[in-house]
Amino acid sequence: MEGFDNVYMGKTVLVTGHTGFKGSWLSIWLNELGANVIGYALDPNTENDNFVLSGVGNKIIDIRGDIRDTDKLKDVFTQYKPEIVFHLAAQPLVRLSYSIPVETYVVNVMGTINVLEAIRTTESVRTGIMITTDKCYENKEQICGYREVDPLGGYDPYSSSKACAELAINSWRSSFFNPNNYNRHKKAIASVRAGNVIGGGDWALDRLVPDCVRAMERKEPIKIRNPEAIRPWQHVLEPLGGYLMLGKKMSEEPASFSEAWNFGPNFESMITVKEIVEIILVTYGGGSVSLYESPDKIHEATILNLDINKAVSKLGWKPEFTIEESIEMTINWYKKYQDDNIYSECTRQINKMMERINR
């Protein structure tokens, strides 16, 4: 597969969190682009995860490790000498962060710092792309999208931990990887913030699409907590394409692109939970819905939107799929995961994205 001017061809690329939902898709894409992919992560959560069913672990160097284990992490950097690092390993769930707040902060903040330090002390690394979240912003429930320069915050432990990670990334960038001194340190660091991603192979609890699929497979009504909540829905390949495009730009002009970036959908894809469930039901071909009031109801944002003008204007990136296309691709994976070759399905969808990017 050709793309991104073959900048990843033959490069050694380390992906932390490669067994996770986004990490597995990124690892497949990088493998198809000809990169030598090194994965570092904990075990996948279920036997039906995209990582497991795609078999991508057999096509890359698959290492089990915890980003809190500084010695093992450093050993991996030393042994494999990556040139590019995509840091995705995290505790990624809002609701879970209420149950394990301390672990959430340790993984998301200190884990990020551990990766930054490994980048700092490993001569081979030239590019580091640190994945955080759109929830790192101080959410004022406003209609207009948050820009990269807007205040960071976070009501819940997860969101706050990601805001703290962003502060750490900016501190390391300013202190050790300052773009003004690139000719001395030769390292470029960026952070990327994406909205709610959907796609095949995500089985996490308390996420809308996996919850819908589990209910439909059991022929039970889909329980939704906040039907009027609005989220920036996008297919997982949308932000991943942005990360890869950013990596290409950073290899060409490292000092110009070492900053924070938003990757979100078009305004048309900003729809309610109720609306997306209705599209899922039509696409899947059946099912029903019931409202669900959790006895341990927690705070959840009502609206969250990203301003993507910077990525559009400076990177030349843009969302490629409508919300209907994104859901169709997602449901196709879930309809095929028990019988079909999942790696082929993933590469088919990646090729569809590459066609959109290259046209």
Side-chain angles (χ1 to χ4, degrees), residues 128-147:
I129 297 179
M130 318 296 286
I131 286 74
T132 63
T133 177
D134 59 342
K135 297 174 181 63
C136 68
Y137 292 106
E138 181 184 350
N139 191 359
K140 301 176 181 178
E141 304 283 350
Q142 61 190 34
I143 295 295
C144 58
Y146 295 100
R147 302 171 301 160

Side-chain angles (χ1 to χ4, degrees), residues 21-173:
F21 169 48
K22 289 173 73 174
S24 64
W25 278 94
L26 179 60
S27 297
I28 293 170
W29 201 339
L30 285 166
N31 182 63
E32 290 296 305
L33 291 170
N36 302 315
V37 182
I38 315 298
Y40 183 88
L42 300 175
D43 290 335
N45 289 324
T46 80
E47 61 182 16
N48 289 331
D49 282 8
N50 188 56
F51 174 83
V52 177
L53 296 183
S54 69
V56 65
N58 298 321
K59 300 176 183 293
I60 65 174
I61 296 175
D62 174 21
I63 302 169
R64 293 291 181 271
D66 194 317
I67 54 172
R68 292 170 290 186
D69 187 340
T70 55
D71 291 337
K72 184 168 185 177
L73 183 66
K74 178 57 180 172
D75 287 344
V76 169
F77 272 76
T78 300
Q79 179 177 352
Y80 293 100
K81 298 178 174 53
E83 300 165 73
I84 302 169
V85 176
F86 288 94
H87 172 49
L88 290 86
Q91 192 297 91
L93 302 175
V94 171
R95 291 178 67 84
L96 182 59
S97 75
Y98 282 94
S99 300
I100 54 168
V102 174
E103 182 176 346
T104 297
Y105 277 93
V106 174
V107 171
N108 292 349
V109 183
M110 287 309 303
T112 296
I113 289 173
N114 291 341
V115 174
L116 288 167
E117 274 295 272
I119 290 173
R120 183 176 73 87
T121 58
T122 305
E123 185 177 355
S124 63
V125 180
R126 292 289 173 262
T127 302
I129 297 179
M130 318 296 286
I131 286 74
T132 63
T133 177
D134 59 342
K135 297 174 181 63
C136 68
Y137 292 106
E138 181 184 350
N139 191 359
K140 301 176 181 178
E141 304 283 350
Q142 61 190 34
I143 295 295
C144 58
Y146 295 100
R147 302 171 301 160
E148 290 85 349
V149 295
D150 284 337
L152 301 174
Y155 183 105
D156 56 85
Y158 167 74
S159 303
S160 175
S161 72
K162 286 296 192 175
C164 291
E166 283 280 358
L167 292 173
I169 294 164
N170 188 60
S171 175
W172 258 253
R173 180 169 47 225

Side-chain angles (χ1 to χ4, degrees), residues 128-343:
I129 297 179
M130 318 296 286
I131 286 74
T132 63
T133 177
D134 59 342
K135 297 174 181 63
C136 68
Y137 292 106
E138 181 184 350
N139 191 359
K140 301 176 181 178
E141 304 283 350
Q142 61 190 34
I143 295 295
C144 58
Y146 295 100
R147 302 171 301 160
E148 290 85 349
V149 295
D150 284 337
L152 301 174
Y155 183 105
D156 56 85
Y158 167 74
S159 303
S160 175
S161 72
K162 286 296 192 175
C164 291
E166 283 280 358
L167 292 173
I169 294 164
N170 188 60
S171 175
W172 258 253
R173 180 169 47 225
S174 299
S175 302
F176 307 114
F177 315 126
N178 196 302
N180 295 327
N181 302 322
Y182 177 79
N183 289 333
R184 178 172 55 81
H185 55 72
K186 300 291 186 181
K187 296 180 189 293
I189 304 295
S191 63
V192 292
R193 306 157 181 177
N196 283 37
V197 295
I198 62 175
D202 180 12
W203 294 102
L205 297 174
D206 295 319
R207 279 190 182 153
L208 182 62
V209 172
D211 287 349
C212 288
V213 172
R214 280 187 286 263
M216 291 185 293
E217 287 186 339
R218 294 192 298 260
K219 301 187 184 308
E220 297 175 355
I222 298 169
K223 297 179 179 179
I224 53 176
R225 296 186 304 270
N226 300 298
E228 301 306 320
I230 299 173
R231 298 287 186 272
W233 309 101
Q234 58 187 327
H235 192 271
V236 63
L237 296 179
E238 299 276 27
L240 294 185
Y243 305 166
L244 292 168
M245 192 174 294
L246 175 61
K248 170 185 174 294
K249 292 287 189 179
M250 291 172 72
S251 70
E252 297 169 345
E253 302 177 61
S256 300
F257 293 91
S258 298
E259 48 195 29
W261 300 85
N262 286 341
F263 295 100
N266 289 318
F267 186 77
E268 293 77 12
S269 293
M270 289 285 297
I271 63 176
T272 65
V273 168
K274 179 182 177 181
E275 289 171 314
I276 199 168
V277 170
E278 290 171 347
I279 299 173
I280 288 172
L281 290 174
V282 171
T283 306
Y284 195 86
S288 60
V289 177
S290 68
L291 299 183
Y292 172 65
E293 186 70 26
S294 174
D296 56 345
K297 185 176 178 62
I298 62 171
H299 174 273
E300 294 185 83
T302 302
I303 185 170
L304 182 59
N305 187 17
L306 291 177
D307 185 322
I308 59 173
N309 286 324
K310 179 180 170 183
V312 171
S313 61
K314 293 189 68 175
L315 293 179
W317 173 88
K318 68 180 188 304
E320 300 291 347
F321 298 130
T322 65
I323 186 61
E324 290 79 11
E325 288 176 311
S326 297
I327 293 174
E328 180 182 12
M329 292 166 65
T330 299
I331 297 303
N332 280 344
W333 190 102
Y334 287 106
K335 283 188 170 184
K336 296 179 178 181
Y337 80 91
Q338 298 187 43
D339 304 308
D340 287 14
N341 184 318
I342 288 301
Y343 191 90

